Structure formats: structure tokens, C-alpha cells
């Protein structure tokens, strides 16, 4: 198995979890765990706010990486080269993942728009 690939068993597990979640009743019926713990159901998060939060997180990682690099170049003794490189790679990976998600969303949008009704 390649490290960049997702294991097919993990995909199967995710699909089964999604199917199980889709079959749960949502019309005000509390689940067993909610009744036992006395918790209210969690508020639903819309896609736009989740996407914005993720983009803000990636942007924050890039800004932190850039700030650490500037501090290292200026000679700040509290910043190590290894920390700069690690944060730079984390920001790069997060950005690359964001680009891949964007590509998948655009592809899905085109697929939906090309469907015949």
C-alpha cells in the first residue's frame, strides 16, 4: 500500500458510517445516548461555515509558517531551523490538501451541472 493512498477498507468503513447516519430518525426523536446523558442533540453545521473554518485554519497555518521564517531570518534565537521547516511543511501539506478538495468540489459541480434531468 502506498502512503499517499487511502486504504479501501477505510473507505468502506466511512461509507457504512454514512449509511448508518442517514438511516437514523431526526424528527425530534432523541437517541439512546442523548436520553442517558441528558444531552441535547448537537447543532447542525452548514457546509459553508465548515468550509470557511477549514480555509481559515489553513490560512492561519501559512501565516504562522511565514512569521516563523521571518523571525528566523531576522535572527530570533527562540526560533529553530527545524521548527521553521516543520511548520513550513505542515502549511504546505494543508494547502495542497485544500487544493485537492477544491479540485474535487469543482469536479463534482461540473458533474452535477452536466447531468440531464
Amino acid at each position: 500500500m502506498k502512503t499517499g493512498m487511502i486504504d479501501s477498507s477505510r473507505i468502506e468503513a466511512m461509507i457504512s458510517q454514512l449509511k448508518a447516519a442517514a438511516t437514523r430518525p431526526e424528527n425530534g426523536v432523541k437517541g439512546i445516548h442523548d436520553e442517558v446523558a441528558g444531552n441535547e442533540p448537537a447543532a447542525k453545521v452548514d457546509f459553508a461555515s465548515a468550509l470557511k473554518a477549514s480555509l481559515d485554519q489553513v490560512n492561519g497555518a501559512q501565516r504562522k509558517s511565514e512569521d516563523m521564517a521571518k523571525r528566523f531570518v531576522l535572527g530570533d534565537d527562540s526560533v529553530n531551523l527545524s521548527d521553521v521547516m516543520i511548520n513550513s511543511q505542515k502549511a504546505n501539506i494543508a494547502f495542497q490538501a485544500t487544493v485537492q478538495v477544491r479540485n474535487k468540489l469543482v469536479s463534482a459541480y461540473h458533474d452535477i451541472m452536466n447531468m440531464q434531468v
Side-chain angles (χ1 to χ4, degrees), residues 40-86:
E40 292 297 318
K44 292 186 179 181
V45 179
D46 63 316
F47 180 75
S49 63
L51 183 63
K52 181 168 179 8
S54 296
L55 290 174
D56 289 341
Q57 187 177 8
V58 171
N59 187 33
Q62 287 182 325
R63 286 178 186 240
K64 179 182 175 185
S65 171
E66 185 178 325
D67 180 54
M68 284 188 77
K70 284 180 183 177
R71 287 177 30 209
F72 180 76
V73 168
L74 293 174
D76 188 351
D77 291 335
S78 66
V79 179
N80 297 333
L81 177 61
S82 60
D83 293 338
V84 172
M85 296 305 293
I86 289 170

Side-chain angles (χ1 to χ4, degrees), residues 19-55:
K19 285 180 182 177
T23 60
R24 290 188 197 137
E26 295 186 28
N27 298 332
V29 179
K30 290 186 176 183
I32 296 172
H33 298 292
D34 293 331
E35 291 177 4
V36 172
N39 295 336
E40 292 297 318
K44 292 186 179 181
V45 179
D46 63 316
F47 180 75
S49 63
L51 183 63
K52 181 168 179 8
S54 296
L55 290 174

Side-chain angles (χ1 to χ4, degrees), residues 94-108:
F95 179 73
Q96 293 299 321
T98 302
V99 169
Q100 292 299 320
V101 169
R102 184 216 46 196
N103 292 344
K104 290 289 185 179
L105 287 172
V106 170
S107 175

